Amino acid sequence: MKEKRNTFPPLNEQMDLIRRGTEEVLPEEELEAKLKRSIESGRPLDVKLGADPSRPDLHVGHAVVLQKMRDFQDLGHQAILIIGDFTAMIGDPSGRSKTRPALTLDETRQNGQTYFDQATKILSSKLLKIVYNSEWLASMNFAEVISLASKYTVSQILERDDFSKRFAAEVPISLHELLYPLVQATDSVAIHSDVELGGTDQKFNLLVGRDLQRAHNQEPQVIITCPLLVGTDGKEKMSKSLDNYIALNDFPNDIYGKTLSIPDELMLDWFRLVTFYPEGEVEELKRGLESGELHPRDLKRRLARELVTRYTSEKTALKAEEEFDRIFIKKDVPDDIDPWHVPEAISLVQLMVDAEAVASKGEARRLIQGGGVSLDGEKVSDMNMMFEPEKETVLKVGKRKFLRLVPGNGA
């Protein structure tokens, strides 16, 4: 039987889509050559993206580069999502001012298990392979590690900005961190990557992948970098470790509320990078803001609806907006509050910890001191308050957490 050949859009059409929303395509002429061969042979390109399972959540910052991978899928190419369960044990030192705590392989595997469901909120499950890099890295012996280390010099590694800064400042750099770029680059060799995607902070690592492929007599991958999304704090790139992120699997109400918390000056970038509005539409929004035709509050609500719709549905987005308005504008209480049974008198601080409304007693006290805790709408000011379970009471902690305190043990 004759093998079926894939068909792809024309080269210029593919390049237009690939360039959109990217920071750099290096080298662009090599990508054009790869795409031409792909069109002629009917063979899709293997497009690699590494995901670091240091925590179990993918977030909307990841969505920027995941969408670029989806663009390649839509053009008919093969997406390969590499879960870095082995490399996460080292911890990516990109942008780090100090050594990152190490994780065990079991911890990284557990975190990576949920990535398929999260990633397919953006990626198509067709033309998608998900692999763990422990498949080839965990079996390497010491001789192979030494051989890998011989492919690069210390001076080449220290060209990386975060390493050079730490070295100049005499901040310790562990030897295993120096190996990280080489270990990540080994992934490109293992799968014979044609294209690798990443954020701008990954550029050095991606270039090492090209070098290592050459050392193994492979045609080097083209690298494509995407802009970094600034997180909800308005200062640093969105990051799980900085806790300034919106997870792809957050509850719709949380996605909506967290989006409304971003600074106004981030809105246009978020429309561009997260909702993937064409540049012309983003410029139109900018003109509307500058002329006063668009109010920042209304535009941010539109952004929040777009995000919830993207990861759930339009119906869910409208419901999340109604719920937000009811709680925070009309000052109502949600209908579906989780009950928490209180059998006997207990300090309110301890109750908040037991109910997992806060992470610690210190956080509970800080919230009370800052006026962020209320019972049936009345702010609590006494950090030593004892709660007496006499009737059902609504406890509000911070802006979005509610508990219905019910007398008794729930039996």
Side-chain angles (χ1 to χ4, degrees):
M1 181 183 290
K2 189 175 180 181
E3 185 179 350
K4 183 180 177 182
R5 287 162 52 92
N6 291 343
T7 56
F8 302 95
L11 176 63
N12 62 337
E13 203 175 300
Q14 293 197 57
M15 289 299 297
D16 285 346
L17 181 58
I18 291 167
R19 288 190 191 103
R20 191 181 74 187
T22 60
E23 193 75 21
E24 288 185 287
V25 179
L26 295 173
E28 192 165 306
E29 62 274 12
E30 287 187 18
L31 178 60
E32 290 183 356
K34 286 176 183 283
L35 290 171
K36 284 178 185 175
R37 286 205 308 270
S38 173
I39 292 169
E40 292 166 0
S41 67
R43 186 190 78 80
L45 299 182
D46 287 331
V47 183
K48 168 198 173 190
L49 173 64
D52 172 16
S54 55
R55 289 198 188 179
D57 296 325
L58 291 174
H59 54 66
V60 296
H62 295 122
V64 178
V65 70
L66 283 168
Q67 179 59 43
K68 184 51 54 186
M69 181 170 259
R70 176 58 189 259
D71 289 345
F72 273 98
Q73 285 186 309
D74 290 343
L75 294 171
H77 299 292
Q78 176 68 59
I80 303 176
L81 184 63
I82 296 183
I83 307 299
D85 59 332
F86 192 90
T87 42
M89 292 194 298
I90 302 174
D92 184 1
S94 298
R96 297 275 162 182
S97 59
K98 59 183 180 181
T99 301
R100 196 171 180 173
L103 299 175
T104 68
L105 187 59
D106 283 344
E107 287 172 328
T108 60
R109 264 293 171 112
Q110 288 168 13
N111 290 346
Q113 283 175 353
T114 65
Y115 275 25
F116 179 81
D117 289 339
Q118 295 177 66
T120 50
K121 288 177 180 282
I122 297 169
L123 299 176
S124 167
S125 57
K126 299 175 181 178
L127 293 173
L128 175 63
K129 292 179 185 175
I130 294 186
V131 294
Y132 291 86
N133 65 7
S134 60
E135 292 176 19
W136 50 84
L137 293 173
S139 61
M140 289 180 70
N141 60 38
F142 196 58
E144 289 169 324
V145 173
I146 291 175
S147 175
L148 174 63
S150 72
K151 307 294 184 187
Y152 237 64
T153 67
V154 173
S155 60
Q156 283 177 298
I157 291 291
L158 288 179
E159 286 174 8
R160 190 164 131 164
D161 189 52
D162 42 15
F163 283 154
S164 61
K165 286 178 179 176
R166 285 165 63 182
F167 186 76
E170 298 185 357
V171 175
I173 304 171
S174 296
L175 283 174
H176 75 287
E177 291 182 277
L178 298 178
L179 287 174
Y180 184 92
L182 288 170
V183 176
Q184 179 176 308
T186 301
D187 296 347
S188 298
V189 174
I191 67 166
H192 292 257
S193 168
D194 291 308
V195 178
E196 182 169 15
L197 308 176
T200 53
D201 60 339
Q202 292 292 313
K203 182 177 177 179
F204 182 92
N205 292 342
L206 308 188
L207 287 169
V208 176
R210 283 175 57 82
D211 293 338
L212 206 59
Q213 283 180 307
R214 285 194 196 95
H216 285 81
N217 298 314
Q218 292 182 15
E219 181 179 283
Q221 63 190 14
V222 171
I223 70 169
I224 297 178
T225 60
C226 296
L228 300 178
L229 184 71
V230 176
T232 53
D233 59 357
K235 298 175 183 177
E236 304 282 350
K237 77 165 186 174
M238 185 170 286
S239 166
K240 292 174 282 190
S241 57
L242 295 175
D243 203 24
N244 63 351
Y245 71 104
I246 300 174
L248 298 186
N249 60 357
D250 267 345
F251 292 115
N253 290 3
D254 290 334
I255 295 175
Y256 188 93
K258 289 178 183 179
T259 303
L260 290 187
S261 74
I262 70 171
D264 289 353
E265 57 268 22
L266 293 186
M267 283 192 295
L268 294 179
D269 269 348
W270 277 50
F271 270 106
R272 184 180 291 110
L273 298 176
V274 179
T275 65
F276 311 104
Y277 271 38
E279 192 58 38
E281 290 187 37
V282 175
E283 287 301 313
E284 190 176 328
L285 295 178
K286 183 180 179 181
R287 288 192 292 271
L289 286 171
E290 291 172 346
S291 68
E293 292 178 20
L294 282 175
H295 193 287
R297 178 197 61 233
D298 297 333
L299 189 57
K300 200 179 292 184
R301 287 165 66 86
R302 177 174 164 184
L303 175 63
R305 288 195 304 272
E306 293 263 7
L307 251 66
V308 180
T309 298
R310 183 170 183 79
Y311 302 121
T312 56
S313 68
E314 184 178 3
K315 181 179 179 181
T316 305
L318 293 174
K319 185 177 178 183
E321 184 168 71
E322 290 171 4
E323 186 76 354
F324 182 91
D325 289 348
R326 194 160 66 83
I327 296 170
F328 299 105
I329 296 178
K330 299 176 184 177
K331 304 297 183 183
D332 282 355
V333 172
D335 293 327
D336 54 344
I337 308 176
D338 292 332
W340 182 262
H341 294 275
V342 187
E344 57 188 6
I346 185 175
S347 79
L348 186 61
V349 166
Q350 186 63 54
L351 188 155
M352 290 162 63
V353 172
D354 291 348
E356 298 183 351
V358 293
S360 65
K361 291 182 179 180
E363 182 185 355
R365 294 189 184 99
R366 285 193 296 274
L367 281 168
I368 292 172
Q369 189 174 28
V373 178
S374 64
L375 290 167
D376 282 344
E378 295 290 327
K379 285 188 178 180
V380 176
S381 57
D382 182 4
M383 288 187 285
N384 298 312
M385 175 185 173
M386 294 293 293
F387 177 76
E388 301 281 350
E390 298 172 349
K391 63 182 181 68
E392 283 199 12
T393 306
V394 173
L395 169 67
K396 182 180 178 184
V397 180
K399 292 182 177 180
R400 299 187 183 89
K401 291 182 182 176
F402 291 85
L403 282 174
R404 182 163 51 89
L405 305 180
V406 181
N409 58 15

mmCIF file with all atom_site columns, all heavy atoms in Angstrom, residues 317-332:
data_model
loop_
_atom_site.group_PDB
_atom_site.id
_atom_site.type_symbol
_atom_site.label_atom_id
_atom_site.label_alt_id
_atom_site.label_comp_id
_atom_site.label_asym_id
_atom_site.label_entity_id
_atom_site.label_seq_id
_atom_site.pdbx_PDB_ins_code
_atom_site.Cartn_x
_atom_site.Cartn_y
_atom_site.Cartn_z
_atom_site.occupancy
_atom_site.B_iso_or_equiv
_atom_site.pdbx_formal_charge
_atom_site.auth_seq_id
_atom_site.auth_comp_id
_atom_site.auth_asym_id
_atom_site.auth_atom_id
_atom_site.pdbx_PDB_model_num
ATOM 1   N N   . ALA A 1 317 ? -18.069 31.572 32.073 1.00 0.00 ? 317 ALA A N   1
ATOM 2   C CA  . ALA A 1 317 ? -17.474 32.896 32.245 1.00 0.00 ? 317 ALA A CA  1
ATOM 3   C C   . ALA A 1 317 ? -18.521 33.909 32.704 1.00 0.00 ? 317 ALA A C   1
ATOM 4   O O   . ALA A 1 317 ? -18.270 34.727 33.595 1.00 0.00 ? 317 ALA A O   1
ATOM 5   C CB  . ALA A 1 317 ? -16.824 33.354 30.940 1.00 0.00 ? 317 ALA A CB  1
ATOM 6   N N   . LEU A 1 318 ? -19.685 33.860 32.096 1.00 0.00 ? 318 LEU A N   1
ATOM 7   C CA  . LEU A 1 318 ? -20.756 34.792 32.488 1.00 0.00 ? 318 LEU A CA  1
ATOM 8   C C   . LEU A 1 318 ? -21.211 34.517 33.916 1.00 0.00 ? 318 LEU A C   1
ATOM 9   O O   . LEU A 1 318 ? -21.488 35.441 34.687 1.00 0.00 ? 318 LEU A O   1
ATOM 10  C CB  . LEU A 1 318 ? -21.932 34.669 31.512 1.00 0.00 ? 318 LEU A CB  1
ATOM 11  C CG  . LEU A 1 318 ? -21.650 35.135 30.080 1.00 0.00 ? 318 LEU A CG  1
ATOM 12  C CD1 . LEU A 1 318 ? -22.838 34.822 29.171 1.00 0.00 ? 318 LEU A CD1 1
ATOM 13  C CD2 . LEU A 1 318 ? -21.345 36.638 30.056 1.00 0.00 ? 318 LEU A CD2 1
ATOM 14  N N   . LYS A 1 319 ? -21.264 33.246 34.286 1.00 0.00 ? 319 LYS A N   1
ATOM 15  C CA  . LYS A 1 319 ? -21.645 32.888 35.653 1.00 0.00 ? 319 LYS A CA  1
ATOM 16  C C   . LYS A 1 319 ? -20.603 33.375 36.655 1.00 0.00 ? 319 LYS A C   1
ATOM 17  O O   . LYS A 1 319 ? -20.934 33.875 37.739 1.00 0.00 ? 319 LYS A O   1
ATOM 18  C CB  . LYS A 1 319 ? -21.807 31.366 35.767 1.00 0.00 ? 319 LYS A CB  1
ATOM 19  C CG  . LYS A 1 319 ? -22.332 30.914 37.126 1.00 0.00 ? 319 LYS A CG  1
ATOM 20  C CD  . LYS A 1 319 ? -22.535 29.410 37.157 1.00 0.00 ? 319 LYS A CD  1
ATOM 21  C CE  . LYS A 1 319 ? -23.017 28.955 38.538 1.00 0.00 ? 319 LYS A CE  1
ATOM 22  N NZ  . LYS A 1 319 ? -23.155 27.482 38.614 1.00 0.00 ? 319 LYS A NZ  1
ATOM 23  N N   . ALA A 1 320 ? -19.301 33.245 36.288 1.00 0.00 ? 320 ALA A N   1
ATOM 24  C CA  . ALA A 1 320 ? -18.227 33.716 37.171 1.00 0.00 ? 320 ALA A CA  1
ATOM 25  C C   . ALA A 1 320 ? -18.310 35.229 37.361 1.00 0.00 ? 320 ALA A C   1
ATOM 26  O O   . ALA A 1 320 ? -18.082 35.744 38.458 1.00 0.00 ? 320 ALA A O   1
ATOM 27  C CB  . ALA A 1 320 ? -16.869 33.326 36.594 1.00 0.00 ? 320 ALA A CB  1
ATOM 28  N N   . GLU A 1 321 ? -18.651 35.944 36.283 1.00 0.00 ? 321 GLU A N   1
ATOM 29  C CA  . GLU A 1 321 ? -18.778 37.399 36.382 1.00 0.00 ? 321 GLU A CA  1
ATOM 30  C C   . GLU A 1 321 ? -19.963 37.779 37.274 1.00 0.00 ? 321 GLU A C   1
ATOM 31  O O   . GLU A 1 321 ? -19.856 38.684 38.116 1.00 0.00 ? 321 GLU A O   1
ATOM 32  C CB  . GLU A 1 321 ? -18.955 38.010 34.996 1.00 0.00 ? 321 GLU A CB  1
ATOM 33  C CG  . GLU A 1 321 ? -19.002 39.534 35.009 1.00 0.00 ? 321 GLU A CG  1
ATOM 34  C CD  . GLU A 1 321 ? -18.885 40.115 33.621 1.00 0.00 ? 321 GLU A CD  1
ATOM 35  O OE1 . GLU A 1 321 ? -19.857 39.991 32.834 1.00 0.00 ? 321 GLU A OE1 1
ATOM 36  O OE2 . GLU A 1 321 ? -17.831 40.684 33.305 1.00 0.00 ? 321 GLU A OE2 1
ATOM 37  N N   . GLU A 1 322 ? -21.072 37.085 37.101 1.00 0.00 ? 322 GLU A N   1
ATOM 38  C CA  . GLU A 1 322 ? -22.245 37.354 37.952 1.00 0.00 ? 322 GLU A CA  1
ATOM 39  C C   . GLU A 1 322 ? -21.915 37.093 39.419 1.00 0.00 ? 322 GLU A C   1
ATOM 40  O O   . GLU A 1 322 ? -22.304 37.865 40.303 1.00 0.00 ? 322 GLU A O   1
ATOM 41  C CB  . GLU A 1 322 ? -23.418 36.472 37.519 1.00 0.00 ? 322 GLU A CB  1
ATOM 42  C CG  . GLU A 1 322 ? -24.023 36.854 36.176 1.00 0.00 ? 322 GLU A CG  1
ATOM 43  C CD  . GLU A 1 322 ? -25.030 35.829 35.687 1.00 0.00 ? 322 GLU A CD  1
ATOM 44  O OE1 . GLU A 1 322 ? -25.309 34.860 36.451 1.00 0.00 ? 322 GLU A OE1 1
ATOM 45  O OE2 . GLU A 1 322 ? -25.529 35.967 34.552 1.00 0.00 ? 322 GLU A OE2 1
ATOM 46  N N   . GLU A 1 323 ? -21.200 36.005 39.671 1.00 0.00 ? 323 GLU A N   1
ATOM 47  C CA  . GLU A 1 323 ? -20.847 35.653 41.049 1.00 0.00 ? 323 GLU A CA  1
ATOM 48  C C   . GLU A 1 323 ? -19.911 36.707 41.642 1.00 0.00 ? 323 GLU A C   1
ATOM 49  O O   . GLU A 1 323 ? -20.056 37.105 42.806 1.00 0.00 ? 323 GLU A O   1
ATOM 50  C CB  . GLU A 1 323 ? -20.183 34.269 41.067 1.00 0.00 ? 323 GLU A CB  1
ATOM 51  C CG  . GLU A 1 323 ? -19.895 33.724 42.447 1.00 0.00 ? 323 GLU A CG  1
ATOM 52  C CD  . GLU A 1 323 ? -21.140 33.209 43.152 1.00 0.00 ? 323 GLU A CD  1
ATOM 53  O OE1 . GLU A 1 323 ? -22.263 33.366 42.620 1.00 0.00 ? 323 GLU A OE1 1
ATOM 54  O OE2 . GLU A 1 323 ? -20.989 32.659 44.260 1.00 0.00 ? 323 GLU A OE2 1
ATOM 55  N N   . PHE A 1 324 ? -18.951 37.171 40.836 1.00 0.00 ? 324 PHE A N   1
ATOM 56  C CA  . PHE A 1 324 ? -18.031 38.206 41.312 1.00 0.00 ? 324 PHE A CA  1
ATOM 57  C C   . PHE A 1 324 ? -18.802 39.478 41.660 1.00 0.00 ? 324 PHE A C   1
ATOM 58  O O   . PHE A 1 324 ? -18.583 40.089 42.721 1.00 0.00 ? 324 PHE A O   1
ATOM 59  C CB  . PHE A 1 324 ? -16.979 38.509 40.242 1.00 0.00 ? 324 PHE A CB  1
ATOM 60  C CG  . PHE A 1 324 ? -15.969 39.536 40.675 1.00 0.00 ? 324 PHE A CG  1
ATOM 61  C CD1 . PHE A 1 324 ? -14.792 39.147 41.302 1.00 0.00 ? 324 PHE A CD1 1
ATOM 62  C CD2 . PHE A 1 324 ? -16.189 40.896 40.472 1.00 0.00 ? 324 PHE A CD2 1
ATOM 63  C CE1 . PHE A 1 324 ? -13.864 40.090 41.719 1.00 0.00 ? 324 PHE A CE1 1
ATOM 64  C CE2 . PHE A 1 324 ? -15.267 41.840 40.880 1.00 0.00 ? 324 PHE A CE2 1
ATOM 65  C CZ  . PHE A 1 324 ? -14.100 41.435 41.509 1.00 0.00 ? 324 PHE A CZ  1
ATOM 66  N N   . ASP A 1 325 ? -19.711 39.876 40.781 1.00 0.00 ? 325 ASP A N   1
ATOM 67  C CA  . ASP A 1 325 ? -20.485 41.099 41.029 1.00 0.00 ? 325 ASP A CA  1
ATOM 68  C C   . ASP A 1 325 ? -21.326 40.964 42.284 1.00 0.00 ? 325 ASP A C   1
ATOM 69  O O   . ASP A 1 325 ? -21.459 41.908 43.067 1.00 0.00 ? 325 ASP A O   1
ATOM 70  C CB  . ASP A 1 325 ? -21.392 41.401 39.825 1.00 0.00 ? 325 ASP A CB  1
ATOM 71  C CG  . ASP A 1 325 ? -20.610 41.859 38.608 1.00 0.00 ? 325 ASP A CG  1
ATOM 72  O OD1 . ASP A 1 325 ? -19.418 42.159 38.763 1.00 0.00 ? 325 ASP A OD1 1
ATOM 73  O OD2 . ASP A 1 325 ? -21.194 41.913 37.508 1.00 0.00 ? 325 ASP A OD2 1
ATOM 74  N N   . ARG A 1 326 ? -21.895 39.776 42.466 1.00 0.00 ? 326 ARG A N   1
ATOM 75  C CA  . ARG A 1 326 ? -22.777 39.573 43.621 1.00 0.00 ? 326 ARG A CA  1
ATOM 76  C C   . ARG A 1 326 ? -22.014 39.663 44.927 1.00 0.00 ? 326 ARG A C   1
ATOM 77  O O   . ARG A 1 326 ? -22.492 40.228 45.916 1.00 0.00 ? 326 ARG A O   1
ATOM 78  C CB  . ARG A 1 326 ? -23.458 38.205 43.496 1.00 0.00 ? 326 ARG A CB  1
ATOM 79  C CG  . ARG A 1 326 ? -24.643 38.001 44.423 1.00 0.00 ? 326 ARG A CG  1
ATOM 80  C CD  . ARG A 1 326 ? -25.529 36.882 43.915 1.00 0.00 ? 326 ARG A CD  1
ATOM 81  N NE  . ARG A 1 326 ? -24.850 35.611 43.957 1.00 0.00 ? 326 ARG A NE  1
ATOM 82  C CZ  . ARG A 1 326 ? -24.764 34.852 45.049 1.00 0.00 ? 326 ARG A CZ  1
ATOM 83  N NH1 . ARG A 1 326 ? -25.278 35.279 46.185 1.00 0.00 ? 326 ARG A NH1 1
ATOM 84  N NH2 . ARG A 1 326 ? -24.162 33.697 45.012 1.00 0.00 ? 326 ARG A NH2 1
ATOM 85  N N   . ILE A 1 327 ? -20.785 39.116 44.922 1.00 0.00 ? 327 ILE A N   1
ATOM 86  C CA  . ILE A 1 327 ? -20.001 39.069 46.161 1.00 0.00 ? 327 ILE A CA  1
ATOM 87  C C   . ILE A 1 327 ? -19.287 40.377 46.422 1.00 0.00 ? 327 ILE A C   1
ATOM 88  O O   . ILE A 1 327 ? -19.302 40.913 47.530 1.00 0.00 ? 327 ILE A O   1
ATOM 89  C CB  . ILE A 1 327 ? -18.992 37.907 46.117 1.00 0.00 ? 327 ILE A CB  1
ATOM 90  C CG1 . ILE A 1 327 ? -19.731 36.573 46.043 1.00 0.00 ? 327 ILE A CG1 1
ATOM 91  C CG2 . ILE A 1 327 ? -18.085 37.932 47.333 1.00 0.00 ? 327 ILE A CG2 1
ATOM 92  C CD1 . ILE A 1 327 ? -18.822 35.395 45.765 1.00 0.00 ? 327 ILE A CD1 1
ATOM 93  N N   . PHE A 1 328 ? -18.672 40.935 45.377 1.00 0.00 ? 328 PHE A N   1
ATOM 94  C CA  . PHE A 1 328 ? -17.762 42.053 45.601 1.00 0.00 ? 328 PHE A CA  1
ATOM 95  C C   . PHE A 1 328 ? -18.351 43.419 45.253 1.00 0.00 ? 328 PHE A C   1
ATOM 96  O O   . PHE A 1 328 ? -17.836 44.442 45.689 1.00 0.00 ? 328 PHE A O   1
ATOM 97  C CB  . PHE A 1 328 ? -16.460 41.835 44.824 1.00 0.00 ? 328 PHE A CB  1
ATOM 98  C CG  . PHE A 1 328 ? -15.739 40.594 45.249 1.00 0.00 ? 328 PHE A CG  1
ATOM 99  C CD1 . PHE A 1 328 ? -15.754 39.465 44.465 1.00 0.00 ? 328 PHE A CD1 1
ATOM 100 C CD2 . PHE A 1 328 ? -15.085 40.546 46.464 1.00 0.00 ? 328 PHE A CD2 1
ATOM 101 C CE1 . PHE A 1 328 ? -15.108 38.307 44.868 1.00 0.00 ? 328 PHE A CE1 1
ATOM 102 C CE2 . PHE A 1 328 ? -14.435 39.401 46.880 1.00 0.00 ? 328 PHE A CE2 1
ATOM 103 C CZ  . PHE A 1 328 ? -14.449 38.282 46.081 1.00 0.00 ? 328 PHE A CZ  1
ATOM 104 N N   . ILE A 1 329 ? -19.396 43.437 44.455 1.00 0.00 ? 329 ILE A N   1
ATOM 105 C CA  . ILE A 1 329 ? -20.029 44.718 44.145 1.00 0.00 ? 329 ILE A CA  1
ATOM 106 C C   . ILE A 1 329 ? -21.312 44.870 44.949 1.00 0.00 ? 329 ILE A C   1
ATOM 107 O O   . ILE A 1 329 ? -21.543 45.881 45.616 1.00 0.00 ? 329 ILE A O   1
ATOM 108 C CB  . ILE A 1 329 ? -20.303 44.838 42.632 1.00 0.00 ? 329 ILE A CB  1
ATOM 109 C CG1 . ILE A 1 329 ? -18.970 44.839 41.879 1.00 0.00 ? 329 ILE A CG1 1
ATOM 110 C CG2 . ILE A 1 329 ? -21.092 46.111 42.322 1.00 0.00 ? 329 ILE A CG2 1
ATOM 111 C CD1 . ILE A 1 329 ? -19.099 44.912 40.364 1.00 0.00 ? 329 ILE A CD1 1
ATOM 112 N N   . LYS A 1 330 ? -22.130 43.818 44.929 1.00 0.00 ? 330 LYS A N   1
ATOM 113 C CA  . LYS A 1 330 ? -23.367 43.872 45.713 1.00 0.00 ? 330 LYS A CA  1
ATOM 114 C C   . LYS A 1 330 ? -23.158 43.407 47.142 1.00 0.00 ? 330 LYS A C   1
ATOM 115 O O   . LYS A 1 330 ? -24.072 43.484 47.970 1.00 0.00 ? 330 LYS A O   1
ATOM 116 C CB  . LYS A 1 330 ? -24.439 42.992 45.046 1.00 0.00 ? 330 LYS A CB  1
ATOM 117 C CG  . LYS A 1 330 ? -24.789 43.450 43.636 1.00 0.00 ? 330 LYS A CG  1
ATOM 118 C CD  . LYS A 1 330 ? -25.770 42.490 42.984 1.00 0.00 ? 330 LYS A CD  1
ATOM 119 C CE  . LYS A 1 330 ? -26.049 42.891 41.532 1.00 0.00 ? 330 LYS A CE  1
ATOM 120 N NZ  . LYS A 1 330 ? -26.946 41.916 40.854 1.00 0.00 ? 330 LYS A NZ  1
ATOM 121 N N   . LYS A 1 331 ? -21.934 42.909 47.434 1.00 0.00 ? 331 LYS A N   1
ATOM 122 C CA  . LYS A 1 331 ? -21.558 42.474 48.780 1.00 0.00 ? 331 LYS A CA  1
ATOM 123 C C   . LYS A 1 331 ? -22.408 41.306 49.281 1.00 0.00 ? 331 LYS A C   1
ATOM 124 O O   . LYS A 1 331 ? -22.672 41.168 50.468 1.00 0.00 ? 331 LYS A O   1
ATOM 125 C CB  . LYS A 1 331 ? -21.645 43.635 49.785 1.00 0.00 ? 331 LYS A CB  1
ATOM 126 C CG  . LYS A 1 331 ? -20.817 44.850 49.414 1.00 0.00 ? 331 LYS A CG  1
ATOM 127 C CD  . LYS A 1 331 ? -19.332 44.547 49.386 1.00 0.00 ? 331 LYS A CD  1
ATOM 128 C CE  . LYS A 1 331 ? -18.511 45.785 49.093 1.00 0.00 ? 331 LYS A CE  1
ATOM 129 N NZ  . LYS A 1 331 ? -17.080 45.509 48.979 1.00 0.00 ? 331 LYS A NZ  1
ATOM 130 N N   . ASP A 1 332 ? -22.875 40.459 48.364 1.00 0.00 ? 332 ASP A N   1
ATOM 131 C CA  . ASP A 1 332 ? -23.626 39.274 48.755 1.00 0.00 ? 332 ASP A CA  1
ATOM 132 C C   . ASP A 1 332 ? -22.676 38.152 49.140 1.00 0.00 ? 332 ASP A C   1
ATOM 133 O O   . ASP A 1 332 ? -21.463 38.254 49.016 1.00 0.00 ? 332 ASP A O   1
ATOM 134 C CB  . ASP A 1 332 ? -24.514 38.790 47.603 1.00 0.00 ? 332 ASP A CB  1
ATOM 135 C CG  . ASP A 1 332 ? -25.771 39.625 47.469 1.00 0.00 ? 332 ASP A CG  1
ATOM 136 O OD1 . ASP A 1 332 ? -25.981 40.494 48.330 1.00 0.00 ? 332 ASP A OD1 1
ATOM 137 O OD2 . ASP A 1 332 ? -26.519 39.413 46.498 1.00 0.00 ? 332 ASP A OD2 1
#
